[in-house]
Amino acid sequence: MRRTWPAVLAIMMTAAAVTSCTSRTTAADTPSRPSLRWGECPGPAEAALECARLAVPLDYRHPHGRTIDVEVSRLPSGKPAEKRGVLLLNPGGPGLPGLRVPVLMKLPEKVRDRYDVIGFDPRGVGHSTPVSCGFTRAQGETAANPPTPGSAADVSRQAASAKSLAAQCTTAGTANLLPHITTANTARDMDRIRTALGVPRISYYGESYGTYLGAVYTTLFPGRGDRIVLDSSLPPEGYDVEALRGQGAGFETRFPDFARFAAASERRYHLGGTPAAVREKYFRLAARLDDKPVRGYDGTTFRVVTAAMIRADSDLAGLAAVWHALDTNQPPPGSAAPGGGAYSDNYPAAYLGVICGDSRWPTDLATYRHNVSVDRVRHPMYGAFTANIRPCAFWPAPAEPKVRITDCGPSDVLMVHNLRDPATPLSGALRTRRALGERARMVTIDQGGHVAYLSGANACGNDAVNDFLVTGKRPSHDTYCPAAHPVR
């Protein structure tokens, strides 16, 4: 595998189609410089983190019209004399806040010293002007994670629910914001942040959905990026129906890591003495919970929790404990149990705003029935769940064409990706790599889980990102990092 991997990459990285590089002038190209007044951050205090509010156009086609607010944070460099510039961070989602990411991410000191690290809540999210659909907790969970369909009739029932949720969103009090809560507009907001900071270029680190945001930014503003890191990349079309269906393949690729872990700990968790037995336990538990929920867990919740917790090696023991509890009709460990606490529907509302507003989704019910039947066979562990119909099928058409990711611009992008990523499978990342052409270099790491940088024990991948952010040095060609150690 290690000997043949470069050859595999060479085959998959055939030359990108030649495209004409034209100017990407947008309404964000304004001569005025907005100002930032730094002060305390909203919410829980974070030492050394300061925040400011930036007014941005709601609709960049009308840059002098209505504005909304984007909340921005800054963690200043510890060594201003060594500072290179600013490093903007995005934690993915879509719909996740990013204001505290500069502190929570715990970047290495040598990276921190080189930049003022900038976080922000994307438009529609958190302390920026937020969107809401008025969802209850149950509605929000269904909107983001529709139930696993067992038949064509289940798809039809979910269609009625999806249509109702879409109508609720698009008639809510913030409905007039939704057409503008898109990746392209968030990228334009990033350039307004750059302008407000008074710098000619920004460096950027984005993970998961944040890779698509970064790719859109560097496509719209190719001369304004400095060092761009895309960690765990989506396909070049972003979070559309095919990207979600692709998670079925990612789940199948990653699950054997958990199965080996659980089998090795059979005396503790009693989930099966072999990986094959653990896989069979998955099907039995999912089927039983589909029929009769246990402690608030139905089959869909079980699948969602499993998919979330196999994203990190550090969560595998916790996931095994959840399975064991469900298998023995005990309360699952509190951190993995669904529900509880105060509820805000801001995440599912913003999530839908982006994924439905970025792409045209199939509207024909027969398409979803077909996708479910195909994916149930193709990816039996998870595929039918991701193929089910969502509110996006009943969403208004996108307000503008999708940004096409191309190879136009300087060679300033580093991609890092785990070999067994359950959420953003490697196949989609390779397509983004092809779209970026000579603009990018890619480091593929033989480890499992979602998000490569600072998330595993593989020094090879971490060093590649650190070297690029600190010195600007990238590999001269796409490279492969062998496994550091097996999952234990």
Side-chain angles (χ1 to χ4, degrees), residues 111-457:
V111 176
R112 279 272 297 105
D113 289 343
R114 296 289 282 164
Y115 299 94
D116 287 343
V117 184
I118 307 297
F120 70 109
D121 284 352
R123 58 170 51 211
V125 176
H127 294 287
S128 296
T129 302
V131 293
S132 171
C133 296
F135 289 154
T136 64
R137 184 189 298 273
Q139 288 177 319
E141 290 172 353
T142 301
N145 296 301
T148 304
S151 66
D154 289 342
V155 179
S156 298
R157 280 189 287 271
Q158 171 58 19
S161 172
K163 185 175 183 179
S164 176
L165 293 171
Q168 185 170 331
C169 252
T170 54
T171 59
T174 57
N176 60 341
L177 303 181
L178 286 176
H180 311 289
I181 307 300
T182 63
T183 301
N185 280 331
T186 301
R188 293 168 183 134
D189 293 343
M190 286 169 52
D191 203 57
R192 294 284 287 179
I193 293 171
R194 177 198 63 79
T195 301
L197 292 170
V199 294
R201 298 186 298 166
I202 56 172
S203 292
Y204 176 83
Y205 169 87
E207 58 192 42
S208 192
Y209 161 76
T211 63
Y212 179 58
L213 175 60
V216 169
Y217 178 81
T218 200
T219 297
L220 290 176
F221 307 102
R224 298 179 188 173
D226 187 10
R227 297 168 182 174
I228 308 296
V229 180
L230 308 182
D231 184 345
S232 308
S233 288
L234 281 167
E237 299 82 17
Y239 249 133
D240 62 2
V241 64
E242 293 304 323
L244 279 170
R245 291 179 69 194
Q247 290 182 350
F251 188 97
E252 299 268 1
T253 300
R254 168 61 167 165
F255 186 81
D257 289 342
F258 172 70
R260 285 190 293 271
F261 170 87
S265 307
E266 197 274 340
R267 289 187 178 181
R268 179 174 183 180
Y269 301 112
H270 309 289
L271 300 177
T274 66
V278 176
R279 178 182 170 91
E280 182 58 32
K281 177 70 75 173
Y282 173 88
F283 288 111
R284 291 203 303 270
L285 273 174
R288 179 158 64 86
L289 294 168
D290 280 334
D291 182 59
K292 186 178 180 180
V294 172
R295 305 282 182 170
Y297 272 71
D298 60 13
T300 295
T301 304
F302 170 72
R303 293 176 178 91
V304 170
V305 169
T306 299
M309 297 185 76
I310 63 173
R311 293 185 176 192
D313 287 351
S314 59
D315 286 338
L316 297 185
L319 177 60
V322 170
W323 279 36
H324 176 69
L326 293 171
D327 196 36
T328 55
N329 294 310
Q330 300 297 314
S335 62
Y343 179 72
S344 165
D345 80 328
N346 181 237
Y347 166 72
Y351 171 83
L352 290 178
V354 173
I355 70 168
C356 302
D358 275 0
S359 305
R360 289 186 179 272
W361 288 67
T363 59
D364 181 20
L365 188 57
T367 298
Y368 293 95
R369 289 174 176 157
H370 172 77
N371 290 350
V372 163
S373 66
V374 168
D375 288 4
R376 184 183 295 117
V377 175
R378 184 171 59 175
H379 308 304
M381 300 192 77
Y382 198 61
F385 163 65
T386 51
N388 206 355
I389 191 168
R390 296 169 183 263
C392 297
F394 305 97
W395 213 260
E400 64 175 311
K402 182 180 293 189
V403 176
R404 178 171 174 258
I405 307 303
T406 74
D407 58 356
C408 298
S411 187
D412 58 1
V413 179
L414 177 68
M415 300 174 63
V416 290
H417 208 98
N418 287 338
L419 191 61
R420 299 178 303 283
D421 187 321
T424 54
L426 179 62
S427 57
L430 288 169
R431 291 182 54 237
T432 295
R433 172 68 183 87
R434 288 197 297 271
L436 289 168
E438 284 302 306
R439 297 202 64 187
R441 296 292 181 269
M442 185 169 181
V443 178
T444 305
I445 306 165
D446 187 357
Q447 64 184 8
H450 184 51
V451 179
Y453 180 53
L454 305 180
S455 295

